[in-house]
Amino acid sequence: MIRNKNHAYIDWKIALLITLRDEFKKSGVCEFALGSEDFFEEEIALIVPPTSPFLHLFDNEIKIMLESGLIKKWKAKFWPQKDKCTSSGLASIISNRTVSIGDMQGSFYLLLVGFLVAVIILLIEFCVHKRRQRKIVDTIKVLVTSNKTTEFWQQKTDRKSVV
């Protein structure tokens, strides 16, 4: 039916990859194309009774297998190998990987540059604020001393006129 181009075959992605591989081995021609969009996430889980003491053990062991790369190794070993038909589909599956610090290095550099720019702007604002305060203090000093000088001269002129 699928070969007649009247139907689509929907299944789990691994089953489709195996079908593509098997059909390619039989005929040597790619007769099918794997869709690029996934509409179900392939998630595998386990279920245990609520009082089971094994749940935490299973969780820890699965976490260790994921972190150590054992799952990726199994995928590379047991999933269909790349060929003419499955290379694009398999690449999208294997490309799902954990992000490491090295992958985020550019983000950290950008964060550092932003932090440095913020510190420089803060220092400039601090200097401008101090400078304005000094100008205000200097202006007040001038006004205060000019008033005293004015008062001093006024007192001198008042004394001369009295004499």
Side-chain angles (χ1 to χ4, degrees):
M1 285 194 223
I2 300 170
R3 283 190 180 90
N4 297 335
K5 301 180 183 176
N6 293 332
H7 293 83
Y9 178 46
I10 299 174
D11 201 349
W12 298 110
K13 194 166 209 170
I14 184 64
L16 295 174
L17 288 170
I18 291 170
T19 302
L20 285 174
R21 181 197 62 195
D22 292 346
E23 291 297 319
F24 179 68
K25 282 182 180 179
K26 285 180 191 174
S27 65
V29 177
C30 287
E31 298 183 41
F32 306 108
L34 185 64
S36 60
E37 292 295 323
D38 296 333
F39 50 91
F40 285 121
E41 285 292 322
E42 292 185 48
E43 293 183 0
I44 300 173
L46 58 94
I47 188 170
V48 294
T51 58
S52 174
F54 300 115
L55 182 61
H56 295 298
L57 293 172
F58 284 136
D59 286 343
N60 290 337
E61 291 301 318
I62 291 171
K63 182 179 177 183
I64 289 170
M65 287 189 296
L66 285 170
E67 290 175 351
S68 68
L70 188 58
I71 304 294
K72 289 180 187 176
K73 184 178 179 180
W74 287 342
K75 280 184 181 180
K77 184 175 181 179
F78 296 111
W79 283 34
Q81 298 299 313
K82 291 183 181 181
D83 61 14
K84 184 178 173 185
C85 295
T86 60
S87 62
S88 64
L90 188 60
S92 68
I93 292 172
I94 293 177
S95 68
N96 293 338
R97 62 182 182 86
T98 306
V99 178
S100 68
I101 294 291
D103 297 330
M104 298 299 294
Q105 187 175 9
S107 301
F108 288 123
Y109 284 138
L110 188 61
L111 184 65
L112 178 67
V113 168
F115 178 77
L116 291 176
V117 168
V119 168
I120 290 169
I121 290 173
L122 184 66
L123 288 174
I124 291 171
E125 286 185 7
F126 180 75
C127 292
V128 167
H129 179 72
K130 284 292 187 183
R131 191 174 192 192
R132 283 184 182 163
Q133 277 185 336
R134 273 192 232 124
K135 281 185 178 182
I136 291 172
V137 168
D138 289 344
T139 306
I140 291 172
K141 283 181 182 177
V142 167
L143 290 174
V144 167
T145 50
S146 68
N147 282 341
K148 285 183 178 179
T149 308
T150 308
E151 290 175 11
F152 172 77
W153 288 110
Q154 282 179 352
Q155 288 175 0
K156 287 256 185 195
T157 53
D158 288 344
R159 287 184 188 158
K160 285 182 184 177
S161 59
V162 173
V163 179

